[in-house]
Structures are given as structure tokens and as C-alpha cells.
Amino acid sequence: MAWRSLLPWRCGCCVRSAGGEGRYITFIIDPLQYVSLTKLNKYLEFEEFADNISSRIFNYPSILKGNFPDLSENVHRNYQYLKGKSLDALSDSMIKNLQCIFKKRFSQATDWETEKMNKFCFSVMFEASFITLYGRDPSADGHNVVDAIGDKFTKFDANFSYLAANIPIELLGSTKRIREELIHYFLPNNTSKLLGVSEVIQARKDLFEMYEVLGDYDKAAHHFTFMWASVGNTIPAIFWTTYYLLRHPEALAVVRDEIDHLLQSTGQETGLGYSIRLTREQLDNLVYLESALNESLRLCSSSMNIRIAKEDFAFKLEGNQEVSLRKGDFIVIYPPILHMDPEVYEDPKKYKFDRYVENGKKKTTFYKQGKKLKYFLMPFGSGSSICPGRFFAMIEIKQFLVLLLTYFDIEVVGEKEVGHDKSRLGLGILLPDSDIDFRYRLRPAPKARPPPSSEARCL
């Protein structure tokens, strides 16, 4: 489908644009209409659209059109392992792995060391995410997953927007070869060697084994898809949250003080060798950290919420208006319109780390035209397309920041500003258009006694 700039029809609630193949794309621009759209599941679909794009990008057979009875339903059922007790176990494993990586790589950083911030965030989080989900190679002998596939992953990710736009992969240089190499890394004979696989990944492995028509390459492609989904937006979100905090020292001071207070109140030592454990509830109570994270997401998230009409119907709007949709027409919510609406967010282009805090508690009431909005922040999508890993994503971003701000003094080097890479518009968290230098050193431990050797033990 080709997009045009032509806007032949407009009202106060939505904009309609002419598309290719005789289709229309209707953008819902009034956030008060979002609730009405979520009630139209009878007439709208997303799953087939997502399956077509994902199977094309990651090179596995369509799970809806192939001979895979109930595979789609079973894959979605597998997301239960990203909630409840399974989420607690996953989160506990993540913070342990993050601490091991920080200890292994940075325990000697007593003097200032300078690195590229985005590269730093990627190397730590990619390794921690892989180990947490897929397990650790016992024979690696210091060789981490970033060394093995990190650079290839970055190169593939750089062309993700072109693949999503249906640009033939053959026109994207070495991207096809890189994709095959990444998929091969997830072949069963490779991942079977890893120890400590997470519950969610083990369940996916068991599920794929039930389908004999799925070849090893297809299974590996599904695992690569899951890995990309786990870090493709989380890592840039970590970069932006860190970047905005360092660019606003008053925000950094408040967030760091909140974290220090929590750790002190729970009697936890904070030196790099000590083990820090935080429950979901404790992380949830870090209201200024969460507000700073949400404000970063407001400024850098760019996902489109897309639905396709399954049949002809009329979408009724406020003010006795309606939009006639035909089968195959697209209807789209583009949350950045909401996120940058000055009626919803005062001075929306400005970073305000405490925008989501009111009287020391989380602020969840925002208004449009005097009416309370049900949807005021939408970085994870909505309805049937909402990110199933959103809870884990929020937890691991908070864990990374808690450890980073607890272990290190950090600051930006120079006055360079980083902008958004607009090539990812509509596809998730925007990437930075360049990297930036920052420096870090270990914070002095509050107590001089050495940490117990049994804590924060890394395999």
C-alpha cells in the first residue's frame, strides 16, 4: 500500500488520507475518540496485518496461513509467562544478571572513564536480556553474546524500518546475510547448550516442538523475533531516559535521592559487590523514577496503532459525525499527536521529569476539552496490539537505572545535543540520530567493610 500526502477529508476528530489499491487511511487525531475505537473489535482486525509484516521481516512462514493449527493462539497464550509469578522470577533473574555484568566489566572504574552512551546501554542490556531469556553458555569463557552477535544485531536493526516498509531485503546490502547469521545463532543445536533458560523461552521451545512442520530454521527465526521484540525498543528507551536525566541535573538529583532512600530504608548495601534486590512493588513506588521514564517515553515513542476494517461499516464520532469505512481500509491512532498536544500536556516539547507526579504520588489524570482521558500515554500500543512484554520492559528499564545511579557517578561530556532518528516514525521508540560521550566512575561505598563473597555471585 502506498501512502500519499493528499488529505481529501477532515473533521475535528480524524484525518483521512488516500492510499494505494483504492484504500483509505483514517487517522484518529482526537484522543477522546480512542475509547470508541477500542470497542470496534467486531469490525477491525490487527493479527493478520501483524503476521504478514513480522513473517516477512524475520523470515518465518506465516503462522496464520500455514499448516499450523492453533499456533497463533498458543503463542499468545505463552505470554502468560510475562505476568504474575513468572514475571517475578524473570525480573529477579534480570537484576542478578545486570549486577553480574556491571561487576564483571566495571569493578575497576575508580577513576573517570568515558564511553559512548548508546553503545554502553546496548552492550549491557543486550547481554543481560539474552542471558535472562535464553540462558548462559557455560563454555563461553568470558566471550559474551554481544561479542558474538551484537554488531550484527545493530546492523540488522538499522534497516528494520526499510524491511517494515516492504523494501526487498536484496536491496539492503548485506542485511539478508546478517539476518540468516542471526537466525542460525538461535538454532536448537546452539540454544540447547545454554543453561538457565527462562520459563517463557522454554515454553516457546516446547510449543514449537509440537509442530513437526516447523523446521529448525523456522523455530530459530521465531526465537530471533522474540529477542528483537525484547530489546528493539527497550534499549533505546533506556538510552533516552538516561540521556534526559543527565541533561537535567535537577531531575538526576531527585531520582538518585529517591533510589538511595529506598535502598537505605530496606537496609541494603550499595557497593558494586553487594547484591541489590527490589520487588515489583518497591520499584513501583519509585514515583519520580517512573515519571522520568514515562516523560522520556512520551518524547521518544512513535508507534502507530493500526487496525484494518474486516467489513464495510460506519464509525460513529461525536457531534453526529461518522466515517464510512470499507473492507480493507486502515484506521490508525498515532499517539505522538496526543503526547505533543498542548491542551493535554503543558509545554509539551519541554522535558519535565516530574510531569507524572502530583503531591508525591503518581499522576494519572489528564484532560482534553475538560474531559478526563482514559488514554493519555501510549508507548506500548493499545487493545489487541498492546505490547505483551510491557510490564517486564518497565521493570528492566527501572532496574538498569537503579543500578547505574547506585553504582556510578555519571555525567555527559560536552554540550552536544542528540536528536531523534526519524526513520523509525510509526515503528516504536525512535533511535538517537547520533551517539554521545558520557563518563562514569564508581560512587564511594557508604561503608568501608568489604562485601561478602557469597553475594552477587556471577557464574
Side-chain angles (χ1 to χ4, degrees), residues 276-418:
I276 293 175
R277 294 290 180 265
L278 295 173
T279 65
R280 273 196 285 165
E281 182 180 7
Q282 289 170 330
L283 287 171
D284 195 52
N285 287 333
L286 294 171
V287 294
Y288 285 99
L289 173 61
E290 183 166 316
S291 178
L293 170 53
N294 283 336
E295 178 71 344
S296 301
L297 293 174
R298 183 185 70 83
L299 292 170
C300 69
S301 62
S302 182
S303 299
M304 287 193 297
N305 296 207
I306 299 174
R307 301 290 185 273
I308 302 176
K310 294 189 288 188
E311 57 184 78
D312 297 350
F313 76 99
F315 178 28
K316 298 187 183 299
L317 307 169
E318 288 187 353
N320 296 319
Q321 298 182 89
E322 66 178 36
V323 181
S324 296
L325 296 172
R326 301 166 302 173
K327 182 178 181 180
D329 280 352
F330 286 71
I331 188 164
V332 177
I333 292 174
Y334 187 52
I337 296 175
L338 161 67
H339 296 164
M340 301 304 291
D341 186 339
E343 189 177 351
V344 179
Y345 292 107
E346 181 183 359
D347 202 359
K349 294 183 179 180
K350 183 178 180 180
Y351 172 82
K352 297 182 179 182
F353 79 97
D354 57 353
R355 193 185 292 274
Y356 298 92
V357 179
E358 189 171 50
N359 299 322
K361 298 181 179 180
K362 294 181 183 181
K363 180 180 179 181
T364 58
T365 52
F366 293 85
Y367 296 88
K368 174 78 173 180
Q369 299 173 11
K371 299 179 180 179
K372 182 179 177 180
L373 289 171
K374 180 177 181 179
Y375 300 103
F376 57 87
L377 183 65
M378 303 176 66
F380 296 107
S382 63
S384 60
S385 61
I386 196 166
C387 173
R390 62 195 180 279
F391 303 117
F392 181 52
M394 291 292 288
I395 289 171
E396 58 183 334
I397 295 172
K398 292 177 184 178
Q399 290 175 337
F400 175 92
L401 291 165
V402 165
L403 297 178
L404 182 70
L405 299 183
T406 299
Y407 292 152
F408 301 105
D409 291 319
I410 51 176
E411 57 186 40
V412 172
V413 177
E415 300 298 323
K416 177 183 176 182
E417 298 286 338
V418 178

Side-chain angles (χ1 to χ4, degrees), residues 1 3 23 25 44-57 60 62 64-65 164-166 304-310 328-332 384-385 426-427:
M1 180 188 67
W3 292 60
R23 297 181 179 181
I25 308 163
L44 302 173
E45 74 91 12
F46 169 77
E47 189 174 12
E48 184 174 344
F49 173 76
D51 178 63
N52 287 338
I53 291 180
S54 183
S55 60
R56 184 180 71 245
I57 292 174
Y60 61 77
S62 165
L64 295 178
K65 298 176 182 178
N166 206 16
M304 287 193 297
N305 296 207
I306 299 174
R307 301 290 185 273
I308 302 176
K310 294 189 288 188
D329 280 352
F330 286 71
I331 188 164
V332 177
S384 60
S385 61
L427 294 173

Side-chain angles (χ1 to χ4, degrees), residues 101 104-105 123 126-127 130-131 136 140-150 185:
I101 292 168
K104 176 178 66 177
R105 297 191 190 180
S123 64
F126 189 85
E127 181 177 3
F130 184 92
I131 293 172
R136 186 188 305 269
D141 192 26
H143 180 71
N144 63 54
V145 69
V146 178
D147 297 328
I149 63 173
Y185 193 86

Side-chain angles (χ1 to χ4, degrees), residues 251-268:
L252 179 63
V254 171
V255 171
R256 171 170 276 159
D257 183 68
E258 180 182 51
I259 293 170
D260 287 346
H261 178 76
L262 172 62
L263 294 176
Q264 291 167 10
S265 67
T266 54
Q268 300 196 56

Side-chain angles (χ1 to χ4, degrees), residues 109-113 407-410 439-444:
T110 53
D111 295 323
W112 287 110
E113 297 191 16
Y407 292 152
F408 301 105
D409 291 319
I410 51 176
R439 64 178 192 165
Y440 58 89
R441 67 180 178 188
L442 289 173
R443 293 176 73 189

